[in-house]
Amino acid sequence: MSATRMRMLSPRNFFSRSDVLLSGGGGARRPGGSQSVGSGGSVGSGVRSLTCPSLSSSPGRALSSLSTTRRGLPKEKMTENGVATRAKVLTIDTMNPTVKKVEYAVRGPIVQRAVELEKELSEGIKKPFAEVIKANIGDAHAMGQQPITFFRQVLALCSYPELLNDSTFPEDAKSRARHILQSCGGNSMGAYSASQGIDSVRQDVARYIERRDGGVSCDPDNIYLTTGASDGIVTMLKLLVCGQGSNRTGVMISIPQYPLYSAALAELGAVQINYYLNEEKCWSLDISELQRALDEARQHCNPRALCIINPGNPTGQVQSRQCIEDVIRFAAKERLFLMADEVYQDNVYADGCQFHSFKKVLFEMGPEYSNTVELASFHSTSKCYMGECGFRGGYMEIINMDNEVKAQLTKLVSVRLCPPVPGQALMDLVVNPPQPGEPSYANFIKERTATLSALAEKAKLTEQVLNTVPGIRCNPVQGAMYSFPSLTIPEKAVREDKGQQPDMFYCMKMLEETGICLVPGSGFGQRDGTYHFSLLTHTPFYPANKVKEFHQKFTKEYS
Amino acid sequence: MSATRMRMLSPRNFFSRSDVLLSGGGGARRPGGSQSVGSGGSVGSGVRSLTCPSLSSSPGRALSSLSTTRRGLPKEKMTENGVATRAKVLTIDTMNPTVKKVEYAVRGPIVQRAVELEKELSEGIKKPFAEVIKANIGDAHAMGQQPITFFRQVLALCSYPELLNDSTFPEDAKSRARHILQSCGGNSMGAYSASQGIDSVRQDVARYIERRDGGVSCDPDNIYLTTGASDGIVTMLKLLVCGQGSNRTGVMISIPQYPLYSAALAELGAVQINYYLNEEKCWSLDISELQRALDEARQHCNPRALCIINPGNPTGQVQSRQCIEDVIRFAAKERLFLMADEVYQDNVYADGCQFHSFKKVLFEMGPEYSNTVELASFHSTSKCYMGECGFRGGYMEIINMDNEVKAQLTKLVSVRLCPPVPGQALMDLVVNPPQPGEPSYANFIKERTATLSALAEKAKLTEQVLNTVPGIRCNPVQGAMYSFPSLTIPEKAVREDKGQQPDMFYCMKMLEETGICLVPGSGFGQRDGTYHFSLLTHTPFYPANKVKEFHQKFTKEYS
């Protein structure tokens, strides 16, 4: 913003403005937005000086007089000079400034380059690799994980109910499909559902949570079905963020984090409060670090929420029950709204590790906590053994939410009408899978076990192979689907980078030379001076060996 | 906000605060948010005085000192008194104030009451009607419209590809399914797609638009697949909104409007600029009214965008080509970003009416306009002959968007990863349906024609029946799926309403007595002193006659 303002006040800029108003450049544009960025920029710069948010937010006379000019000028000029002088309404300098602040590394520049490389390969351009391996995001099916047969049979039956007469479909799949369709308007997945989600699905989710949490009660009325977990997380943050200046809402997130959090907070203009996971202790969470981060943040914002990802993304740790209890106590003491991202709850591999839901621990801590601590927990159809990312299914459970706020939440989600119904149907199957004695049970267990043990094996292998490489140190992958090893990057390479983070430089080079697409640690956040990359452990052509080769070559090259 | 501030500064409030800190009421809460709103409110009021947004946004020392108190107090008190004194973090007074401003009539109180009545009926409670008819929203399948067989066959094939070996499925359905699956990661709808949408689907959309618009070129790179049209509209508004005070972005919307627009603008804190459609001229759009609204708005905000719904929702008009041309000229002259909501483009019934896309008209107006006017147009799988609302499929096409802004748009949509893939698949079928000579062609045409002519017939019938009622005046339903008749409500009834809008009072009464759920005109906006309701013309048990009876009874009762 300050840079914008400097441009804005420079004489050159006012020259460029009148320049634009006379010669424009609009005529150079072709449909399809194919006008060059350069000319867009110069056109934009003319308007920038008059509408940029930094100006608009500056108080007093200067604003009103200038903005009057802004609204007056182009109109008059246009009637004189015709549209050739017409500048764009929406430019990089006149768009929503909070959107500009959004960053999303797992789909950032390195992934865009990976897509280009795939295209070049498909066009027959020679590369030092036969194909691009996208190890940047947990996209299970794209990595060859097979969908659960039962789930897809039911989805087919729900999509085309004529198949209910097809004798080749198992009876339990048909009864699930009937159960879902009966809850749909006009017995069709094409009808809108209730905004909170289909009632019967929310009831099935509640029963699933009660089973998962050893009988702790769950009210279906506290379940909101979502468009993937991301939708639920963003919706909760939307409710929480308010205030201005030193009273602006602050939200605590782990570093390394999943960049959805930083992106959503940037868009909402909330204050991101970083607490660092302890890499030396296998990415565990230290309450003392939470306290440090909170106390510092209280000097300049109003911390109101604490986000936890367990099992961890991208760090793969699984929190101990004790740690979760401590976190809940901390949230209670400090009056923080807890957000528990638990989408990897079935992805726990390491011996001695077990998933504990925040809900269950909260209720085991007794009424002193279970009646008061506000919690939202999130789950999804995208991860675990399902990996059904494309269906965008998910749910959130809210605990101890103020009833008036809950009414506001219900109203807010009604604006997007409803989550995609096929995703809701899939969520229903995840929480209500084949039961012992049902025809599909054996095959369901077989498929689920095969997927989960393949994930466990790959996680272990990744750790083992990477730890044989001098200069790479990898914590045990206790859960989720990623490893986040630390890198030693030679000084020469650190100096080499052209305005890039050293680990971005490293990952870009790896992509160009090996076709492996990793996300640099800088995209998730890391302690200054440390370097990492995030590697999806769940890839078809197991890339750790290639990573090993590359790292050795890279280290030699820059030593 | 000012009301909150008054409470905040009242002595009673500070009393209630210490009151809260001593006795709290937290202990009264049960899990499941079942604590009463009252106690939630009183607890909230204690915190309200210290964290409410109105305070936080007030500048100077008072803020910092008070907010320090706020952050200090509860913590200390708690360690003394334990959690019984813990107030909620998130209350109606400490939540995001822009969310509170959101209203969404088509899912508002009257619809919630309709859901309650359905529940009461199902529990055997006697009512003056056998069932609730939800004529509040265009939910075609819920109203008995049948899905297109071909679409559902392909979706079943994509969901469960083993069916590709099933000889009962037509070959063209199978080839479409293969075409879609080949473009999915791992050939699965369970993989994430590109954030902008599946490439091949965007190419099919572009070819569809070129056919629709008589060969006007369409660049697939300007197509963004969306989660229903709503998602695209909100995303575009997000990009546009910036500035503060008298420089805050203003967006022009038609009155009556579809409440998504007012809801999104409220949430974004943008300025809603109302332009009124001309009811006397069949809800047509007058440029003079656009000019009036714009000129008035320029006194207090920065108008940057003009939203048009054609065919109209809830007013059912179809814009003439001339009118569209005039609107485009107006947008060019006044430098407004055009947003064309064209989700009812196949729903045109009246003789002499025809759908003209803004894109086509823009390009027929020549390079002076087609090279410069910024346009986003929106389509969806939810309306027309498809009515597949639950799949949340849609697309937007952007024209003349600045390249830097476009890069920001692509980044922004990447945060939600991708639109639901089944919805993308469905969108692909809508733009690439069976062709002459393909096995499914005849049946597809038969089903589509049957649906569209049923819609046309119902639209005509609604108009005819309603116009036989003294006190109801209904414009011709030229398109879309709604009529928006004006009501004469007797003075006695106008005085009767208890804080309700008279037409809300009328519609609530109709719901209780007839089971017909309509949305009052006040939910869409209307000229002061006029009353309307929105009636979905597309209902299975044709309700106009019931409406007629009710209106006559109501008028007698209050005359």
Side-chain angles (χ1 to χ4, degrees):
Chain A
M1 300 271 273
S2 60
T4 317
R5 173 165 301 186
M6 280 168 59
R7 278 202 309 280
M8 188 181 76
L9 299 176
S10 72
R12 183 227 155 255
N13 198 59
F14 279 98
F15 174 76
S16 85
R17 182 184 112 234
S18 50
D19 186 43
V20 168
L21 291 170
L22 295 172
S23 70
R29 288 180 210 111
R30 297 198 309 280
S34 46
Q35 162 219 6
S36 85
V37 175
S39 103
S42 75
V43 173
S45 66
V47 184
R48 165 196 302 140
S49 61
L50 301 161
T51 59
C52 73
S54 67
L55 172 66
S56 60
S57 56
S58 68
R61 309 196 79 281
L63 162 63
S64 50
S65 63
L66 255 175
S67 55
T68 317
T69 326
R70 179 186 48 62
R71 290 180 204 150
L73 254 179
K75 193 171 151 192
E76 293 153 21
K77 285 289 179 187
M78 255 183 302
T79 43
E80 285 172 27
N81 306 0
V83 288
T85 69
R86 193 178 299 137
K88 294 217 182 273
V89 174
L90 187 59
T91 69
I92 193 74
D93 297 304
T94 63
M95 66 176 281
N96 186 336
T98 63
V99 169
K100 274 189 279 190
K101 296 204 191 91
V102 170
E103 286 181 12
Y104 199 59
V106 293
R107 292 234 163 170
I110 198 152
V111 181
Q112 286 159 25
R113 178 58 186 152
V115 172
E116 286 170 16
L117 285 170
E118 274 181 327
K119 195 157 169 298
E120 292 174 17
L121 279 173
S122 71
E123 290 161 355
I125 299 172
K126 281 264 159 299
K127 299 283 167 194
F129 46 86
E131 72 177 303
V132 174
I133 301 176
K134 290 211 196 100
N136 58 295
I137 190 167
D139 191 354
H141 290 196
M143 293 292 118
Q145 180 177 314
Q146 291 306 302
I148 297 290
T149 301
F150 179 79
F151 293 174
R152 295 309 197 90
Q153 286 174 327
V154 177
L155 287 168
L157 289 160
C158 290
S159 301
Y160 187 51
E162 281 71 2
L163 290 171
L164 287 164
N165 309 317
D166 183 331
S167 57
T168 62
F169 281 82
E171 273 314 311
D172 50 354
K174 290 182 180 178
S175 67
R176 287 298 192 297
R178 288 192 198 91
H179 170 69
I180 291 165
L181 289 174
Q182 278 158 13
S183 322
C184 294
N187 301 314
S188 169
M189 285 205 298
Y192 290 119
S193 77
S195 299
Q196 194 171 346
I198 297 170
D199 286 4
S200 69
V201 176
R202 293 190 293 110
Q203 285 156 20
D204 290 339
V205 168
R207 282 193 290 268
Y208 158 83
I209 291 173
E210 290 177 344
R211 287 194 305 275
R212 182 197 69 187
D213 293 344
V216 175
S217 80
C218 176
D219 181 349
D221 200 39
N222 290 340
I223 303 300
Y224 286 73
L225 299 183
T226 58
T227 308
S230 303
D231 169 46
I233 291 164
V234 171
T235 302
M236 272 311 308
L237 290 173
K238 254 188 207 171
L239 287 177
L240 276 157
V241 173
C242 66
Q244 297 298 329
S246 68
N247 207 26
R248 189 66 177 163
T249 294
V251 177
M252 304 184 72
I253 65 171
S254 59
I255 298 295
Q257 58 134 359
Y258 178 61
L260 167 70
Y261 290 90
S262 51
L265 294 175
E267 196 186 323
L268 291 165
V271 179
Q272 174 179 326
I273 305 171
N274 298 337
Y275 65 88
Y276 291 86
L277 300 174
N278 188 335
E279 183 165 16
E280 283 58 50
K281 292 202 220 137
C282 196
W283 297 116
S284 64
L285 190 159
D286 299 339
I287 300 299
S288 58
E289 167 61 9
L290 286 182
Q291 193 70 63
R292 177 209 57 82
L294 184 69
D295 294 345
E296 286 179 19
R298 283 215 165 105
Q299 303 312 312
H300 58 86
C301 71
N302 178 13
R304 306 186 66 205
L306 168 56
C307 301
I308 308 278
I309 311 176
N310 178 54
N313 176 4
T315 38
Q317 82 283 13
V318 176
Q319 281 184 312
S320 70
R321 193 190 176 294
Q322 182 58 52
C323 175
I324 292 170
E325 208 174 307
D326 296 342
V327 169
I328 291 170
R329 244 184 230 101
F330 178 82
K333 176 167 76 70
E334 301 294 350
R335 300 193 57 250
L336 296 168
F337 192 109
L338 267 177
M339 292 176 56
D341 179 340
E342 299 176 324
V343 299
Y344 293 97
Q345 54 189 262
D346 296 334
N347 296 112
V348 177
Y349 317 120
D351 301 342
C353 286
Q354 191 190 336
F355 171 73
H356 304 274
S357 78
F358 269 75
K359 162 91 178 287
K360 180 169 194 271
V361 175
L362 176 66
F363 278 72
E364 288 170 350
M365 288 168 71
E368 179 186 346
Y369 293 93
S370 63
N371 289 347
T372 58
V373 174
E374 294 152 81
L375 168 69
S377 69
F378 306 90
H379 195 16
S380 154
T381 59
S382 302
K383 311 300 172 189
C384 304
Y385 65 91
M386 302 82 79
E388 296 277 13
C389 312
F391 281 81
R392 314 308 298 123
Y395 73 75
M396 63 177 169
E397 180 184 17
I398 52 167
I399 309 290
N400 291 323
M401 179 178 274
D402 175 271
N403 282 355
E404 289 177 287
V405 175
K406 197 172 159 188
Q408 292 286 327
L409 169 59
T410 305
K411 177 193 72 179
L412 181 60
V413 297
S414 75
V415 178
R416 57 110 169 90
L417 292 164
C418 68
V421 173
Q424 296 187 52
L426 190 53
M427 194 77 246
D428 190 59
L429 299 169
V430 170
V431 299
N432 187 17
Q435 299 304 309
E438 292 187 319
S440 304
Y441 180 71
N443 190 53
F444 167 72
I445 294 298
K446 186 166 137 283
E447 292 178 344
R448 186 181 66 176
T449 311
T451 300
L452 287 175
S453 40
L455 289 169
E457 188 194 354
K458 284 171 173 172
K460 186 133 212 69
L461 262 171
T462 307
E463 175 197 341
Q464 286 168 349
V465 175
L466 292 180
N467 279 329
T468 64
V469 187
I472 296 184
R473 195 181 145 286
C474 183
N475 272 321
V477 182
Q478 300 173 326
M481 311 192 317
Y482 316 92
S483 67
F484 197 74
S486 70
L487 294 174
T488 308
I489 297 187
E491 260 315 303
K492 188 153 163 258
V494 172
R495 289 192 305 274
E496 184 79 13
D497 74 272
K498 318 248 177 305
Q500 277 177 331
Q501 292 290 336
D503 50 12
M504 171 63 92
F505 175 73
Y506 175 97
C507 289
M508 269 296 185
K509 215 161 167 8
M510 188 184 317
L511 175 61
E512 297 289 348
E513 294 183 13
T514 68
I516 299 176
C517 175
L518 306 178
V519 185
S522 44
F524 300 86
Q526 56 200 352
R527 288 195 181 274
D528 291 346
T530 69
Y531 306 116
H532 301 78
F533 58 72
S534 165
L535 167 66
L536 175 69
T537 57
H538 175 34
T539 55
F541 312 104
Y542 185 69
N545 288 313
K546 280 190 173 184
V547 172
K548 180 175 180 173
E549 285 166 33
F550 169 80
H551 184 83
Q552 287 161 336
K553 187 166 158 300
F554 181 88
T555 308
K556 193 173 295 152
E557 185 177 348
Y558 289 97
S559 294
Chain B
M1 299 272 274
S2 59
T4 315
R5 173 163 301 185
M6 280 167 59
R7 278 201 308 280
M8 189 179 77
L9 299 175
S10 71
R12 181 228 157 255
N13 197 59
F14 279 98
F15 173 75
S16 85
R17 183 185 111 234
S18 48
D19 185 41
V20 168
L21 291 170
L22 295 170
S23 70
R29 289 184 208 105
R30 298 197 307 281
S34 47
Q35 162 219 8
S36 84
V37 175
S39 107
S42 76
V43 173
S45 67
V47 184
R48 165 196 302 140
S49 61
L50 300 161
T51 58
C52 74
S54 67
L55 171 67
S56 62
S57 55
S58 68
R61 306 195 81 282
L63 162 63
S64 49
S65 63
L66 253 176
S67 53
T68 317
T69 325
R70 180 187 49 62
R71 291 176 202 154
L73 255 179
K75 192 172 154 189
E76 291 151 19
K77 284 288 177 188
M78 260 185 298
T79 43
E80 285 169 27
N81 306 1
V83 290
T85 69
R86 194 177 300 134
K88 292 212 183 279
V89 175
L90 187 58
T91 69
I92 193 73
D93 296 305
T94 62
M95 67 176 280
N96 186 336
T98 63
V99 169
K100 276 189 279 188
K101 296 205 192 91
V102 170
E103 286 179 12
Y104 199 58
V106 294
R107 294 235 161 165
I110 198 152
V111 182
Q112 286 159 26
R113 179 58 187 150
V115 172
E116 285 170 18
L117 285 170
E118 273 180 330
K119 194 159 170 296
E120 292 174 18
L121 279 173
S122 71
E123 290 160 355
I125 299 171
K126 281 263 158 301
K127 298 285 166 194
F129 46 85
E131 72 179 304
V132 174
I133 301 177
K134 292 214 195 97
N136 58 295
I137 190 168
D139 192 356
H141 291 195
M143 293 292 118
Q145 180 177 315
Q146 290 308 302
I148 298 290
T149 302
F150 179 79
F151 292 174
R152 295 309 197 91
Q153 287 173 326
V154 177
L155 287 169
L157 290 159
C158 290
S159 301
Y160 187 50
E162 280 71 2
L163 290 170
L164 287 165
N165 308 318
D166 183 330
S167 57
T168 62
F169 281 82
E171 273 314 311
D172 50 354
K174 290 182 180 179
S175 67
R176 287 296 193 297
R178 287 191 199 94
H179 170 68
I180 291 165
L181 289 174
Q182 278 158 13
S183 322
C184 294
N187 300 315
S188 169
M189 285 205 299
Y192 291 118
S193 77
S195 299
Q196 193 171 347
I198 297 169
D199 285 3
S200 69
V201 176
R202 293 190 293 109
Q203 285 157 18
D204 289 341
V205 168
R207 282 192 291 268
Y208 159 83
I209 291 173
E210 289 178 344
R211 287 194 305 275
R212 182 198 69 187
D213 293 343
V216 175
S217 78
C218 176
D219 181 349
D221 199 40
N222 290 340
I223 304 299
Y224 286 73
L225 300 182
T226 57
T227 308
S230 303
D231 168 46
I233 290 164
V234 171
T235 301
M236 271 313 306
L237 290 173
K238 256 189 207 169
L239 287 178
L240 276 158
V241 173
C242 66
Q244 298 298 329
S246 69
N247 207 25
R248 190 66 179 162
T249 294
V251 177
M252 305 184 72
I253 65 171
S254 59
I255 299 296
Q257 58 134 359
Y258 179 61
L260 167 70
Y261 290 91
S262 50
L265 294 175
E267 196 187 324
L268 291 166
V271 178
Q272 174 180 326
I273 305 171
N274 297 337
Y275 65 88
Y276 291 87
L277 300 174
N278 188 336
E279 183 165 17
E280 283 56 51
K281 292 203 220 139
C282 197
W283 298 115
S284 63
L285 190 159
D286 299 338
I287 299 299
S288 59
E289 168 60 10
L290 285 182
Q291 192 71 63
R292 178 211 55 84
L294 184 69
D295 294 345
E296 286 179 18
R298 284 217 164 103
Q299 304 311 311
H300 58 86
C301 70
N302 177 13
R304 306 186 67 203
L306 168 56
C307 301
I308 308 277
I309 311 176
N310 178 53
N313 176 5
T315 38
Q317 81 283 12
V318 176
Q319 281 184 312
S320 69
R321 194 191 175 294
Q322 182 59 52
C323 176
I324 292 170
E325 206 173 308
D326 296 342
V327 169
I328 291 170
R329 243 183 231 100
F330 178 82
K333 175 167 77 68
E334 300 294 348
R335 300 194 58 251
L336 297 168
F337 192 109
L338 266 177
M339 291 176 55
D341 179 340
E342 298 175 325
V343 299
Y344 294 97
Q345 54 190 261
D346 297 334
N347 297 112
V348 176
Y349 317 120
D351 302 341
C353 285
Q354 191 191 335
F355 171 73
H356 304 275
S357 78
F358 269 75
K359 162 90 178 286
K360 179 168 195 270
V361 175
L362 177 65
F363 278 73
E364 288 170 350
M365 288 168 71
E368 180 185 344
Y369 294 93
S370 63
N371 289 347
T372 59
V373 174
E374 294 151 81
L375 167 69
S377 69
F378 306 90
H379 195 16
S380 155
T381 59
S382 302
K383 309 302 171 187
C384 305
Y385 65 92
M386 303 81 80
E388 297 277 14
C389 313
F391 281 81
R392 315 306 298 124
Y395 73 75
M396 64 177 169
E397 180 184 17
I398 51 166
I399 309 291
N400 291 324
M401 179 177 274
D402 175 272
N403 282 354
E404 289 177 287
V405 176
K406 197 171 161 190
Q408 292 287 326
L409 169 60
T410 305
K411 176 193 73 180
L412 181 61
V413 297
S414 76
V415 177
R416 56 108 170 93
L417 292 163
C418 69
V421 173
Q424 296 188 51
L426 190 53
M427 194 76 246
D428 190 59
L429 299 170
V430 169
V431 298
N432 187 17
Q435 299 305 309
E438 292 187 318
S440 304
Y441 180 71
N443 190 53
F444 167 72
I445 296 297
K446 185 166 137 286
E447 291 178 343
R448 186 181 67 178
T449 311
T451 300
L452 287 175
S453 41
L455 289 168
E457 189 194 355
K458 284 170 171 172
K460 187 137 212 68
L461 263 170
T462 308
E463 174 196 342
Q464 286 168 349
V465 175
L466 292 179
N467 279 328
T468 64
V469 187
I472 296 184
R473 194 181 145 285
C474 183
N475 272 322
V477 182
Q478 300 173 325
M481 311 192 316
Y482 316 91
S483 66
F484 197 73
S486 70
L487 295 173
T488 308
I489 297 186
E491 260 314 304
K492 188 152 164 262
V494 172
R495 288 192 307 273
E496 184 80 14
D497 74 89
K498 319 246 178 305
Q500 276 177 333
Q501 292 289 335
D503 49 12
M504 171 63 91
F505 175 73
Y506 176 97
C507 289
M508 270 295 184
K509 218 164 162 16
M510 186 183 317
L511 175 61
E512 297 289 346
E513 294 183 14
T514 68
I516 300 176
C517 176
L518 306 178
V519 184
S522 44
F524 300 86
Q526 56 198 354
R527 287 195 181 275
D528 291 346
T530 69
Y531 307 116
H532 302 77
F533 59 71
S534 164
L535 167 66
L536 175 68
T537 57
H538 174 33
T539 55
F541 312 102
Y542 185 69
N545 288 311
K546 280 190 172 184
V547 173
K548 179 177 182 172
E549 286 166 32
F550 169 80
H551 185 84
Q552 287 161 337
K553 188 166 157 301
F554 181 89
T555 307
K556 195 173 292 153
E557 186 178 347
Y558 289 96
S559 293

